Amino acid sequence: MSIIDTPFRTTSSIPCLKSQGVKTVIRYYNFSNSSTFPNKRLELPEAEALAAAGLETAVVFQQRQNRASDFTELKGFAAGREAFRQAHHNIGQPSGSGIYFSVDFDASNSEINSNVIPFFQGVRRAFEQESGGNSEYRVGVYGSGLVSSRLTDKRLIELVWLAMSRGFRGTRDALEAGEFNLAQLPLERTLCGLGVDFNDPNPNRPDFGAFKIEVDAPVPVPV
């Protein structure tokens, strides 16, 4: 499987991942790591090691974000600002690539209206402010088909990553209509000692916002 996502640092597993056919690793931005996932946030040495090995990286911002109360306009602004700063200042993420924001629950229409849409309005406001009005990064959502379609209609996102659950509202419809860039596949797996999810790209929307950062010289990969 060529595209995986994982909350675990991949640096020491890169040779194994390459041998298994992995071409893109999706990692995280956040405000802070947890005791459960102490290495969830992508840091520069890992991004450099992935790029030096010829692998692409994609990123998703998540700080819980699994209930409606996690989503307000102010929380979206804070998340957008933190994601932009990590991408631009810490990682050197290239302009034009994507940053997904997780909506990790089956949001209803009312929750989308009252919470999720304002959150993404806050994200967009933060990106505009941080970039001086010339937003460098495309905004994506990780979530249900209903969430992604509503945010697309509002022109708040450019990229769609459908969450694993086929029972989420609108997800089967989005899959059948091809209205996605990535689709996460059930179930969680273990690969090269890491807990991972596998993902399918949409061949009709092959650009899902992945990137490689610039590396001046090959970076040794621990074995």
Side-chain angles (χ1 to χ4, degrees):
M1 190 60 60
S2 64
I3 306 169
I4 63 167
D5 65 87
T6 180
F8 301 99
R9 183 181 296 145
T10 63
T11 313
S12 62
S13 301
I14 289 174
C16 177
L17 294 174
K18 286 193 68 175
S19 75
Q20 295 299 309
V22 172
K23 298 186 183 302
T24 305
V25 176
I26 304 173
R27 294 284 282 117
Y28 287 85
Y29 294 151
N30 59 16
F31 291 111
S32 63
N33 293 327
S34 66
S35 57
T36 304
F37 299 113
N39 300 307
K40 187 171 184 176
R41 180 170 57 229
L42 175 69
E43 303 289 359
L44 180 58
E46 181 182 2
E48 289 177 330
L50 288 165
L55 299 182
E56 288 192 319
T57 304
V59 289
V60 55
F61 187 96
Q62 184 173 24
Q63 193 74 46
R64 194 170 67 181
Q65 292 168 222
N66 60 6
R67 62 193 73 179
S69 60
D70 291 335
F71 295 87
T72 67
E73 199 275 345
L74 287 177
K75 289 180 178 179
F77 180 81
R81 181 172 59 187
E82 183 67 19
F84 188 99
R85 291 177 178 180
Q86 288 183 31
H88 188 269
H89 301 306
N90 296 350
I91 301 299
Q93 183 175 330
S95 178
S97 58
I99 303 176
Y100 292 85
F101 290 81
S102 177
V103 183
D104 201 7
F105 73 109
D106 190 15
S108 66
N109 258 313
S110 62
E111 290 168 329
I112 294 169
N113 287 334
S114 61
N115 297 82
V116 176
I117 287 174
F119 180 93
F120 278 84
Q121 288 171 335
V123 168
R124 300 299 299 229
R125 182 165 66 88
F127 275 29
E128 289 298 311
Q129 180 173 300
E130 290 295 312
S131 64
N134 184 25
S135 185
E136 297 180 36
Y137 304 118
R138 288 178 287 163
V139 177
V141 66
Y142 167 89
S144 71
L146 180 60
V147 166
S148 63
S149 67
R150 292 293 311 282
L151 293 174
T152 298
D153 289 345
K154 294 287 185 180
R155 298 184 178 181
L156 291 171
I157 60 169
E158 293 83 36
L159 301 167
V160 172
W161 179 13
L162 293 175
M164 181 184 297
S165 176
R166 300 303 183 250
F168 278 8
R169 293 173 176 89
T171 295
R172 289 188 183 276
D173 292 338
L175 284 167
E176 290 175 5
E179 295 173 346
F180 65 96
N181 298 87
L182 286 174
Q184 194 177 57
L185 303 175
L187 296 165
E188 295 181 7
R189 316 284 180 88
T190 299
L191 183 68
C192 299
L194 302 172
V196 306
D197 301 309
F198 295 154
N199 298 269
D200 271 347
N202 182 345
N204 296 318
R205 298 184 183 183
D207 178 3
F208 54 90
F211 61 89
K212 293 178 186 175
I213 65 169
E214 295 286 341
V215 287
D216 293 331
V219 177
V221 176
V223 295

